[in-house]
């Protein structure tokens, strides 16, 4: 198969799909022209992420990456969540084809964007957000070495 | 789980009768058709018989049909061969924006060699404009290459009229008929076709074999040089089992053409109408009537094509998001963009192509499954707020 | 009548095990390897497994082996692809006078494109001189293409040493190993090979499938453009049954290489010695030791090759007068002329090539029949007055 | 098969192979470099060819053409023999592949050469030899349209 069983499981039975009403932070990344948009909602209590949900317009691995990313940070502190890398998402999925690596990057970025939104609204600063610019285009299809 | 194959435009299974015809040529009549001995002469004789059978299906003489390693090779040969051989006549080639990559990427290569290429627009239904075509012809124009039937949206071009315009201006006409051959009756003479590419694996024949029809008297360079095979025009030991299988498939398709078309059209319309009836925010692509008998191409808003395909596959249904050979690419189909669809809609495309082994139940099951899947993916989509 | 096939260098029968491996891919696992669905992914997985198997037999990594439609296409691709892509580096190519037409006619085409080609002489046994090769290298030299084993006289070149010279001068080295692969152990790394052509139907695999090894990092243009198959380097729906069959044949050949060689060498020597013992005025061509394990090439004075072949065929023996793909040509073999034979002797050549299904009785019967035939034809010949 | 049954029969069982000692005329055409030499011997009594033999170094159809040509003229008058064309030889053989047409031309020319030799030795003239030049090269492989 194109994808690992883990990817297919998260794609077919995605965890944490949906929206959070009155979320504390919402982050959206991607580009409709490129065929991928990922939106992550977080609910924060204290420094803990007590709920997280996502909506994704994108390919199978984008949906699976969203699902895994939300699962990985559920219940974690903001600092822990900011430490999440796309590499972890890939590992958790049992690997992604090289051409799909950027889908995992989207997940990492959507989460960061949601936390940034929360931080901005609440005038908070986090070490993990240092140097983070929400308007930077993190979405470059060409960075991966396309191998197929 | 039941497996439903709805990707006949990507490739077809080889029919049992075709495989059976091929088998003796692997282990018994295995000679090299260029050899003088009995093994070779038997191979030679079946080679020429196969050429004749295929030529007859397109109303051509056997000495105008050349075997190649597939449709892509035929496309490359037609364009590079004709343009390079006719440099004295001119350096201009006209094609369309919705051609298969076998044509488009060959055009890019020719541009690098110094040729000029005009890429014609198509309308919202995928049709080339005859007026625009005629207007594009210059005194440098050597060749027009317009595909017979598009592989993604199924639109069929007015080939005969295109050939007429070409000939009126002393220009050669090539058509990529890989999707058309075996699905519509083709008469190269009546249709004013000078060169035509075909491929075995789209008509229930083997992969790795195709052909190029080259009208007599056309100047064309070789792209594969070497031995004297194919009347000195295409080197390489002849793939006899492939050729025999291709010929068998071609003859079967030709003999059964009307019944095949009727069946496909019936199922295609049932599938397309069924889907459009039960799924909102969907767009049926291609021409309403002038289209491949088995092609259904629909865009579903708010969702992405690969996710759709994976979900279908999980239900045992094999579909495609367009052309098989660009999967792995992240860009939306050049064909869907050419008919004017915005990127985000083009990303949500699904091609279901029907063939000889498709049943009415397959179609019903597919409509039902698709409805569920689209609903589920839309509920996950940040773009969907109905 | 008993049929004795002694033309294994022209093509081989496909082994039963190979056909059996191919069969499911015609009718069951028939998907397009570029498709996302299960049918396609199964095909993709066996495609990559086949690539890996073949790559292993030549000590290469899978990502350096590309499938083509045969040996001729591989030869064309290697030479045209490398020369066109490296124009900035130079315009000079070195080859030999005894190459297969897949190389020689490609060289002619390249000369028409403005490239310069040096055709090295060979000695009386068909060997290229390493000194002459090195002397021919200029600062314009991009590529050396010297065949591994000659298809007519069986001479095997010192490939490793040729590659060493090439690399010493920063020149790329291609070898046409269509006759060598499956008959001698090839290690592309140890042998300094940068590109190598192989073909399925010479090693008991199917026709219409071959491959090109391209070392990593080599600049090469495509000759067949289109879909993204073969890592964007060779377009066309992958011929999965052909590929699977080729891989099976390659692995079988590799595993059985020593036994195969021993058997062939034994029968070859028996055949060659037997003929030379009983027929006077005959010349055994090629190198005495550095040769194809199954190749016997002999010129018989005073008679003409085709008459010999027809007479053999009438006795059920399938031989060849040299390369299969030039039959129909009236000129004597360029290889025999290159080793210095006069025209009239070169016209009387016979190639008998032994393979895995050849028996000792075949060899004995052939020696006997050949003796009679040569005698009969000589008595008819105005040149014979012994 | 490459050749008709008739060709194969004449090739495998050629008629009139051999030499005629003290022949009245001998003609040889062809070129060893091209791989074909045909030699025809005739014995003449009055104006009749009472015996004819050939030796040929050449391909299957050259041998078959020699055989058929000698058979066709055996017992004929010189004038009849001079009327023999390569077309008749081909017809009698049931056809030849295009690339082999020149082999039949060789047979016609070898016969003419033999009669010319006879005529020269005996200071005779024949209508059918008018304009015949034995040194002209009748052997041109390129005149036939090679089709295969
Ligand atoms: C040395 C050599 N190179 C190339 C070829 C061409 O291979 P193919 O017939 O697979 O195109 C052959 C045989 O035909 C050969 O013997
Ligand atoms: C329209 C069209 N042209 C060309 C091709 C290429 O044919 P092949 O895969 O035989 O190289 C295809 C299908 O792959 C096609 O659909
Ligand atoms: S979302 Fe762009 S390919 Fe996965
Ligand atoms: S004698 Fe020249 S080919 Fe027949």
């Amino acid at each position: 198969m194109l994808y690992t069983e883990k990817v297919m499981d998260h794609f077919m039975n995605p965890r944490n799909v949906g929206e959070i009403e009155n979320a504390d932070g919402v982050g959206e990344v991607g580009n409709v022209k490129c065929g991928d948009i990922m939106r992550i909602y977080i609910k924060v209590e204290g420094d803990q992420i007590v709920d997280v949900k996502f909506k994704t317009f994108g390919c199978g691995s984008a949906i699976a990456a969203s699902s895994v990313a939300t699962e990985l940070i559920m219940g974690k502190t903001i600092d822990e969540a900011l430490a999440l890398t796309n590499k972890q998402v890939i590992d958790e999925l049992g690997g992604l084809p090289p051409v799909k690596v950027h889908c995992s990057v989207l997940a990492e970025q959507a989460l960061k964007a949601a936390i940034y939104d929360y931080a901005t609204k609440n005038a908070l600063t986090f070490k993990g957000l240092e140097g983070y610019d929400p308007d930077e285009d993190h979405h470059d299809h060409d960075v991966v070495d396309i191998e197929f | 789980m039941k497996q439903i194959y709805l990707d006949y435009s990507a490739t077809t299974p080889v029919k049992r009768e075709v495989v059976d015809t091929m088998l003796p040529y692997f282990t018994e009549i295995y000679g090299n058709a260029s050899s003088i001995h009995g093994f070779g002469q038997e191979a030679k004789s079946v080679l020429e018989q196969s050429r004749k059978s295929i030529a007859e299906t397109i109303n051509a003489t056997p000495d105008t049909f050349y075997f190649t390693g597939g449709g892509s090779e035929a496309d490359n040969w037609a364009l590079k061969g004709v343009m390079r051989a006719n440099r004295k006549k001119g350096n201009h080639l006209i094609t369309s924006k919705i051609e298969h990559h076998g044509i488009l990427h060959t055009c890019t290569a020719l541009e690098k060699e110094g040729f000029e290429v005009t890429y014609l627009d198509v309308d919202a239904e995928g049709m080339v404009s005859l007026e625009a075509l005629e207007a594009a012809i210059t005194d440098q124009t050597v060749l027009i290459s317009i595909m017979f039937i598009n592989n993604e949206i199924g639109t069929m071009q007015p080939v005969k009229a295109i050939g007429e315009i070409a000939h009126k201006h002393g220009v050669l006409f090539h058509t990529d008929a890989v999707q058309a051959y075996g699905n519509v009756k083709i008469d190269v003479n009546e249709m004013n076709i000078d060169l035509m590419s075909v491929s075995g694996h789209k008509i229930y024949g083997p992969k790795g074999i195709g052909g190029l029809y080259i009208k007599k008297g056309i100047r064309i360079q070789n792209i594969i040089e070497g031995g004297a095979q194919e009347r000195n025009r295409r080197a390489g030991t002849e793939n006899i089992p492939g050729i025999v299988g291709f010929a068998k498939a071609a003859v079967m398709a030709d003999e059964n053409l009307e019944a095949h078309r009727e069946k496909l059209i019936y199922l295609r319309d049932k599938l397309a109408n069924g889907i459009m009836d039960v799924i909102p925010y969907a767009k049926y692509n291609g021409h309403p009537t002038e289209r491949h008998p088995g092609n259904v191409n629909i865009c579903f808003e708010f969702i992405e094509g690969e996710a759709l395909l994976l979900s279908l596959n999980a239900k045992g249904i094999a579909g495609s998001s367009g052309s098989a050979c660009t999967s792995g690419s992240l860009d939306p189909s050049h064909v869907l963009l050419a008919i004017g669809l915005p990127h985000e809609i083009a990303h949500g495309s699904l091609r279901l192509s029907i063939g000889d082994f498709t049943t009415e139940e397959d179609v019903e099951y597919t409509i039902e499954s698709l409805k569920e899947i689209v609903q589920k993916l839309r509920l996950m989509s940040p773009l969907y707020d109905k």
Side-chain angles (χ1 to χ4, degrees), chain A residues 1 3 11-12 14 17 32-35 37 39 55-61 63 99-100 102 141, chain B residues 302-304 306-307 310-311 313-314 327-328 330 332 343-344 347 376-377 379-384:
Chain A
M1 259 313 279
Y3 294 127
F11 167 66
M12 292 300 292
V17 180
V32 79
K33 271 191 80 169
C34 301
I37 289 190
R39 193 187 294 156
K55 281 212 158 179
T56 291
F57 161 70
C59 71
S61 54
I63 290 170
V99 73
K100 294 298 187 181
H102 85 102
H141 279 150
Chain B
F302 321 122
I303 61 177
E304 196 272 345
E306 195 224 68
L310 286 176
S311 307
N313 189 50
S327 79
L330 300 168
H343 274 71
E344 62 273 27
H347 272 293
K376 178 178 166 193
L377 289 173
L379 287 176
M380 263 191 248
S381 170
L383 305 178
Y384 182 71

Side-chain angles (χ1 to χ4, degrees), chain B residues 73-136:
Chain B
E73 185 191 325
D75 282 348
N76 274 258
W77 185 14
L79 268 53
K80 292 178 183 168
V82 167
M83 294 311 290
R84 290 175 185 161
N86 293 278
R87 273 210 179 84
K88 277 191 193 140
K89 196 184 161 228
N91 75 335
H92 183 226
L93 163 65
I94 300 174
T95 187
S96 84
K97 288 192 176 157
I98 62 163
E99 299 295 311
H100 190 267
H101 284 135
I103 296 291
L104 290 179
H105 290 169
T106 300
C107 287
T108 314
L110 285 171
E111 286 176 317
K112 286 197 190 131
E113 289 182 28
F115 293 100
E116 280 186 28
V117 182
T118 299
Y119 301 89
L120 295 175
D121 284 319
V122 295
D123 68 17
E125 288 165 343
M127 282 285 181
V128 159
S129 144
L130 295 179
E131 292 71 45
L133 172 74
E134 187 153 15

Side-chain angles (χ1 to χ4, degrees), chain A residues 37-55:
Chain A
I37 289 190
M38 213 178 271
R39 193 187 294 156
I40 287 187
Y41 303 81
I42 51 172
K43 182 118 210 120
V44 185
E45 282 177 14
D47 65 348
Q48 206 190 8
I49 297 176
V50 297
D51 198 10
V52 51
K53 291 233 180 298
F54 80 90
K55 281 212 158 179

Side-chain angles (χ1 to χ4, degrees), chain B residues 3-5 7 10-16 19 22-23 25-27 30-32 34-39 69 72-73 76 80 84 100-102 105-106 109 201-202 206-208 222-229 234-241 306 309-310 313 317-319 324-325 327:
Chain B
Q3 296 291 319
I4 297 178
Y5 188 72
D7 203 9
T11 194
T12 55
V14 183
K15 286 194 173 160
R16 191 70 248 170
V19 180
M22 294 168 70
L23 284 179
Y25 298 94
F26 288 116
T27 49
Y30 52 79
N32 186 316
S34 303
S35 299
I36 244 176
H37 48 63
F39 294 86
S72 300
E73 185 191 325
N76 274 258
K80 292 178 183 168
R84 290 175 185 161
H100 190 267
H101 284 135
H105 290 169
T106 300
H201 71 98
K202 307 283 188 186
K207 295 176 171 63
N222 295 349
I223 60 168
I224 301 188
E225 349 252 348
Q229 293 92 352
R234 200 279 191 180
T237 301
E238 298 90 342
N239 175 2
I240 301 293
E306 195 224 68
L309 290 185
L310 286 176
N313 189 50
I317 301 168
C325 33
S327 79

Side-chain angles (χ1 to χ4, degrees), chain B residues 67-324:
Chain B
F67 290 106
T68 67
S72 300
E73 185 191 325
D75 282 348
N76 274 258
W77 185 14
L79 268 53
K80 292 178 183 168
V82 167
M83 294 311 290
R84 290 175 185 161
N86 293 278
R87 273 210 179 84
K88 277 191 193 140
K89 196 184 161 228
N91 75 335
H92 183 226
L93 163 65
I94 300 174
T95 187
S96 84
K97 288 192 176 157
I98 62 163
E99 299 295 311
H100 190 267
H101 284 135
I103 296 291
L104 290 179
H105 290 169
T106 300
C107 287
T108 314
L110 285 171
E111 286 176 317
K112 286 197 190 131
E113 289 182 28
F115 293 100
E116 280 186 28
V117 182
T118 299
Y119 301 89
L120 295 175
D121 284 319
V122 295
D123 68 17
E125 288 165 343
M127 282 285 181
V128 159
S129 144
L130 295 179
E131 292 71 45
L133 172 74
E134 187 153 15
I137 297 175
T138 73
D139 60 355
Q140 285 292 309
T141 310
V142 170
L143 180 67
I144 293 171
S145 179
I146 302 284
M147 71 200 308
F148 205 126
I149 285 183
N150 181 271
N151 48 306
E152 295 189 35
I153 58 174
T155 302
M156 183 161 72
Q157 304 295 334
V159 166
K160 184 177 171 173
I162 294 173
E164 222 162 74
I165 293 174
H167 292 173
K168 187 171 122 194
H169 294 273
V171 170
L172 295 173
F173 174 42
H174 166 257
T175 187
D176 174 344
V178 168
Q179 292 289 338
Y181 186 52
N183 286 309
V184 316
K185 183 70 198 169
I186 303 180
D187 179 324
V188 288
N189 290 312
E190 195 213 298
M191 291 177 167
N192 307 308
I193 296 168
D194 299 312
L195 301 106
M196 182 169 81
S197 309
V198 295
S199 182
H201 71 98
K202 307 283 188 186
I203 62 166
Y204 310 93
K207 295 176 171 63
I209 188 79
L212 184 64
Y213 160 76
I214 310 176
K215 195 164 79 182
K216 272 213 179 151
I218 287 185
R219 293 178 60 85
I220 182 165
Q221 276 189 15
N222 295 349
I223 60 168
I224 301 188
E225 349 252 348
Q229 293 92 352
E230 299 300 288
R231 300 159 57 86
N232 269 315
R233 285 188 155 172
R234 200 279 191 180
T237 301
E238 298 90 342
N239 175 2
I240 301 293
I243 286 167
V244 167
F246 184 17
K248 175 74 180 173
V251 168
M252 284 177 69
D254 193 54
E255 284 170 351
N256 192 40
L257 194 59
E258 266 325 298
H260 164 84
R261 279 180 59 80
E262 262 172 46
K263 178 189 157 164
L264 261 56
I265 289 172
Y266 170 75
L267 291 177
R268 174 196 72 191
D269 290 347
K270 185 175 168 116
L271 179 63
N273 296 336
I275 295 171
M276 295 305 289
D277 282 352
V278 301
I279 306 181
Y281 310 108
K283 183 178 174 310
Y284 187 33
N285 298 312
H287 197 278
T289 56
E290 297 297 293
R291 72 184 298 137
H292 186 295
N295 173 287
V296 171
N297 186 303
I298 297 180
C299 285
F300 300 95
E301 283 186 63
F302 321 122
I303 61 177
E304 196 272 345
E306 195 224 68
L308 199 54
L309 290 185
L310 286 176
S311 307
L312 279 169
N313 189 50
K315 289 199 180 279
I317 301 168
S320 143
S321 63
S323 109

